[in-house]
Amino acid sequence: MSINRAEKITIWIAFIAILTFILMRILHPVLYQTIPNHAYLFIHSGIEFISFAVSFTMLVLGWLFFVKSLSRQRLLTAALFSIVGLFDMLHALTMEGMPFFRFVGDTTLSLLFAITGQLIGSVGLFFIFRKSDQPISAGRRLPVVSAALGFGWLLAGLYFSLAEWPSIYLLTGQPLVYMLTTVETVIIVAYMLTIGTIMYRNRNEQPQALLTIIQSLVFFLLANLQFVLSSNLHDTDMLMGHIYKLAGYYFLMKGIYFVTIEEPFKEQKRSESRINFLAYHDDLTGLSNRRLLTERLNAEIQLAKQQDNQLAIFLLDIDRFKTINDALGHTFGDQMLQAVSQRLRHAVGKPDHLFRMGGDEFVILLPEIEAAEENAAQKHAQSLMGLFDAPFVLGEAEYHVTISLGISFYPRDGESVDLLLKNADTAMYSAKVHRNEFSSYTPDMNMKAHDRLRLESDLRRALEQEQFMLAYQPLVNLQTGKVVGVEALVRWHHPLRGLLPPGEFIPLTEENGLILPLGEWVLRAACLQNKAWQDAGMTPIMMSVNLSMRQFRQHQLVDRIKSILEQTGMEPRYLELEITESMTSDVEFATETLASLKKLGVQISIDDFGTGYSSLVYLKRLPIDKLKIDRSFVNELTENGSDAAIVTTITSMAKHLKLKVTAEGVENDEQLHFLREHNCEEAQGYYFTKPIPANLFENWYRHRNQIA
């Protein structure tokens, strides 16, 4: 077990104190002598008045300073030593040679005050430190200290009244000897127990204040041993005892100072430092924040202006981070942000050039770039992109993430902090269209950014005015050639831009939350259409609808779907809900949600299988009915041996798990023949038809049935 500096100091002080005591006993015959009364009175009075001053100081420290951090031990110690200090002063004033000297029985008032003060101090400290410290209200100060001082003065008055009594049994003869021996024993035992109690209760962590109090208790213990061993009131043993006692007071006051002044002050400084740190740094990652970026970038702009240099700003964020947060939870998202920031910190090298803007956005500052070095900045951006080729290992799993990065240059792309950041952000969103790319800002990007804002505004109006429509793509059984289902795909009929495919507006709806009302509209419209086809006499087929990540995590999802089925009148067995692999990353949540959906009677399929994060270990636990092979594996099925092997593996695995398999993106006879040979049950793609509106699909379906 390592020993810190404060503990070492305590050990050394205790060792030196005990060593001096042992040496005093060994050399006692040589060192011992009596001290003249007048000299002893002068020295002793000085020591006792200093002791009183120290006690008064402890009272003031406990009473006035850092009242908000007042604690039980601190207040009781201050109150205790207000009594002890009072008795020390009265002990000095009633010494032989002082004006208030009195005999009481066979002893003196001075001795009674001295031994009572020591008894109260030793026993009081034991009871104070035998319990854990705890905060108390400032309103307790006056009652506690008033009660202590009142008790002290009452006891002092009682002692003065005893001096008027002719004879007191306990203070004469042998009873006096027994009483003094008992009290001295209690004092010594109390100090030893207090030392042991403090060390035991704080055995795991020993604050400096308590270590200093232990030092004082060691000196108090040695002081009382000296008093016991003294054979004369005016000898060197008694004087040494008072010196030990004075040292004890010093260390006790020092300990109280640590508790009342230094530690609260340090805590206040730590709090101020923490507040100042948080004002300029991100609490999660420890990186500099946007406020510090603004100050630093302003300074770098002024420097670049003076030196006629350029500077570059990299603004990057994590692709599909909202999906990661939704799928795996915000705690995992925070861990990912910390891992990303750590990797960026190592790559950038200079911590004052890396900033976290908030969310999953980071900024890297590249100052002092000469005009001919723009290509160097782009190479640096490329190397940053390469940082994310390696997976992140979090827990027991590996996760691959990519970033999109935008670059702006001073002074070409702006001469102010806001403009440079805005243009870097615009460039980043331009790169984000394709993901895992970087782009340098160009003026025409502003037009695209404005288009994006207008499109987002139009989206809200589109939901209100129901400008969306559904297109349908059939699912064909490869063995019978019959249409067994249809997938509903949303399209936006924009009043000015015409028909927009999902890729142009679905990412926006996922970012702004409109995916939830849009998803419900799609589900309701698809169920209504399928029910209408059935009512028109078409053979019932499966209607497949995609669920977004946000829908899957939506509160009361099962109740919402159940309500839509009841409103539209469609039987649950004709509805197939498609989820992606990333939605199953939180296996416990996914299993519970899917099980609840299955109880409704709907079918569940995993879309784009093979491109996500699902673990084959957990796949068998999920209550699913079908795997849909992603079109990226089907496109080069007959040309790429790896794709063929993947498709073969998926179909074989699905067969063993008793799951159906649908291949997406089928476009030619060779693909169809391969899939049929390898036991793939269903297919969809342009080979059969592209997604078409409901009326055209109905005609296509009837025509195909006539041919079949």
Side-chain angles (χ1 to χ4, degrees), residues 179-426:
M179 185 195 72
L180 292 176
T181 303
T182 301
V183 171
E184 288 164 348
T185 303
V186 170
I187 292 170
I188 292 171
V189 170
Y191 280 132
M192 293 174 69
L193 288 175
T194 307
I195 293 171
T197 299
I198 293 175
M199 293 181 68
Y200 178 76
R201 294 189 64 85
N202 299 274
R203 57 192 179 278
N204 295 323
E205 183 180 358
Q206 297 177 333
Q208 186 174 1
L210 286 178
L211 289 172
T212 309
I213 289 172
I214 288 174
Q215 296 166 24
S216 73
L217 293 172
V218 170
F219 280 103
F220 285 144
L221 175 62
L222 296 177
N224 280 275
L225 287 174
Q226 281 291 115
F227 294 150
V228 170
L229 296 171
S230 175
S231 56
N232 190 298
L233 289 177
H234 302 152
D235 60 12
T236 50
D237 286 339
M238 188 65 73
L239 179 62
M240 194 63 191
H242 280 90
I243 293 173
Y244 279 139
K245 177 184 168 185
L246 191 60
Y249 272 116
Y250 165 76
F251 285 109
L252 185 62
M253 184 179 69
K254 190 176 179 182
I256 299 299
Y257 171 81
F258 279 134
V259 173
T260 57
I261 303 293
E262 188 160 320
E263 288 183 357
F265 179 74
K266 286 181 178 178
E267 183 60 34
Q268 182 175 318
K269 295 299 290 183
R270 282 193 293 267
S271 297
E272 291 174 356
S273 177
R274 179 66 176 165
I275 292 169
N276 185 63
F277 179 84
L278 291 178
Y280 290 96
H281 293 82
D282 171 51
D283 189 33
L284 178 65
T285 63
L287 297 177
S288 303
N289 63 12
R290 187 179 189 123
R291 177 182 291 181
L292 190 54
L293 168 64
T294 302
E295 294 184 7
R296 184 94 21 96
L297 186 52
N298 252 322
E300 291 294 346
I301 288 172
Q302 297 304 317
L303 186 62
K305 186 181 294 184
Q306 293 171 9
Q307 299 179 352
D308 197 25
N309 279 338
Q310 289 196 119
L311 62 86
I313 294 173
F314 290 178
L315 194 152
L316 61 95
D317 80 350
I318 303 170
D319 294 331
R320 301 175 68 242
F321 184 71
K322 291 183 184 296
T323 302
I324 294 172
N325 252 346
D326 290 340
L328 302 175
H330 289 279
T331 299
F332 179 87
D334 287 347
Q335 292 174 359
M336 179 62 74
L337 287 172
Q338 289 170 331
V340 168
S341 66
Q342 195 65 25
R343 192 170 288 188
L344 289 173
R345 187 182 280 114
H346 286 309
V348 173
K350 297 181 179 180
D352 58 341
H353 288 173
L354 177 62
F355 308 82
R356 184 187 175 203
M357 292 279 284
D360 62 321
E361 287 189 344
F362 298 85
V363 169
I364 297 172
L365 186 60
L366 270 69
E368 300 179 7
I369 296 178
E370 295 182 4
E373 292 183 340
E374 286 192 16
N375 289 337
Q378 293 178 349
K379 287 179 181 178
H380 189 62
Q382 187 66 56
S383 67
L384 280 174
M385 305 294 293
L387 282 178
F388 295 85
D389 292 341
F392 289 90
V393 180
L394 298 176
E396 298 179 356
E398 293 184 349
Y399 299 89
H400 290 269
V401 298
T402 58
I403 61 169
S404 296
L405 187 150
I407 309 173
S408 65
F409 292 92
Y410 167 87
R412 188 190 73 187
D413 301 324
E415 298 186 3
S416 69
V417 171
D418 290 340
L419 190 56
L420 286 170
L421 289 175
K422 170 184 167 296
N423 290 339
D425 188 60
T426 301

Side-chain angles (χ1 to χ4, degrees), residues 53-107:
V54 172
S55 297
F56 180 77
T57 302
M58 284 191 280
L59 173 62
V60 172
L61 289 174
W63 179 270
L64 295 178
F65 293 94
F66 291 95
V67 175
K68 292 182 180 180
S69 61
L70 187 65
S71 70
R72 174 182 168 276
Q73 288 181 356
R74 178 177 148 194
L75 178 59
L76 292 182
T77 303
L80 175 68
F81 277 86
S82 67
I83 303 175
V84 174
L86 172 65
F87 277 68
D88 280 342
M89 180 183 68
L90 294 174
H91 165 61
L93 292 174
T94 55
M95 280 286 293
E96 186 178 356
M98 297 296 283
F100 300 102
F101 174 73
R102 298 285 190 280
F103 279 106
V104 180
D106 291 344
T107 185

Side-chain angles (χ1 to χ4, degrees), residues 485-694:
V486 63
E487 181 176 359
L489 300 167
V490 67
R491 301 290 187 266
W492 180 8
H493 198 286
H494 194 281
L496 299 178
R497 305 186 187 198
L499 199 61
L500 299 180
E504 293 193 24
F505 62 88
I506 289 296
L508 266 178
T509 64
E510 289 176 340
E511 289 179 20
N512 58 28
L514 293 177
I515 191 66
L516 295 178
L518 177 59
E520 286 199 16
W521 180 88
V522 169
L523 183 60
R524 181 176 286 104
C527 290
L528 283 170
Q529 183 61 67
N530 201 24
K531 185 66 169 62
W533 282 333
Q534 293 175 16
D535 293 343
M538 282 180 56
T539 303
I541 58 176
M542 188 70 68
M543 176 63 72
S544 294
V545 179
N546 291 283
L547 285 182
S548 70
M549 174 68 76
R550 286 201 174 190
Q551 280 179 283
F552 191 63
R553 308 285 297 194
Q554 189 179 17
H555 182 58
Q556 295 182 332
L557 171 66
V558 178
D559 292 338
R560 292 172 183 271
I561 293 174
K562 182 180 179 181
S563 175
I564 289 173
L565 287 170
E566 290 173 349
Q567 292 169 16
T568 59
M570 194 181 88
E571 295 181 49
R573 59 178 173 151
Y574 294 121
L575 175 62
E576 180 179 87
L577 299 174
E578 296 187 11
I579 64 172
T580 60
E581 287 181 85
S582 57
M583 296 184 196
T584 66
S585 299
D586 186 343
V587 179
E588 299 301 327
F589 175 82
T591 303
E592 182 180 344
T593 303
L594 294 177
S596 299
L597 289 171
K598 288 292 292 179
K599 287 180 181 178
L600 289 180
V602 303
Q603 301 288 297
I604 306 292
S605 66
I606 295 185
D607 195 18
D608 301 334
F609 187 77
T611 61
Y613 304 111
S614 65
S615 167
L616 299 182
V617 176
Y618 297 125
L619 190 61
K620 62 182 181 181
R621 290 178 50 188
L622 299 173
I624 58 175
D625 304 284
K626 183 191 294 184
L627 302 179
K628 298 188 73 173
I629 302 173
D630 186 68
R631 67 181 65 250
S632 62
F633 301 122
V634 178
N635 286 343
E636 300 181 9
L637 187 60
T638 57
E639 301 172 12
N640 189 315
S642 297
D643 287 346
I646 290 171
V647 171
T648 302
T649 301
I650 293 174
T651 55
S652 176
M653 177 189 66
K655 182 178 180 180
H656 287 293
L657 293 174
K658 298 180 180 179
L659 302 174
K660 291 182 179 179
V661 179
T662 298
E664 300 178 298
V666 177
E667 297 183 356
N668 56 55
D669 287 317
E670 290 82 2
Q671 295 169 347
L672 194 69
H673 180 71
F674 181 94
L675 293 167
R676 187 180 286 122
E677 279 191 344
H678 289 83
N679 300 315
C680 182
E681 287 95 340
E682 300 171 358
Q684 68 181 99
Y686 281 16
Y687 179 83
F688 306 104
T689 179
K690 64 181 182 180
I692 51 179

Side-chain angles (χ1 to χ4, degrees), residues 35-47 49 92 94-98 234:
I35 302 173
N37 289 354
H38 64 281
Y40 185 83
L41 181 62
F42 176 78
I43 297 171
H44 175 266
S45 299
I47 291 174
F49 282 118
T94 55
M95 280 286 293
E96 186 178 356
M98 297 296 283
H234 302 152

Side-chain angles (χ1 to χ4, degrees), residues 116-136:
T116 303
Q118 293 164 27
L119 179 64
I120 291 173
S122 61
V123 175
L125 286 173
F126 171 72
F127 281 102
I128 289 172
F129 288 101
R130 66 188 292 267
K131 291 185 178 180
S132 298
D133 201 10
Q134 58 186 15
I136 58 174

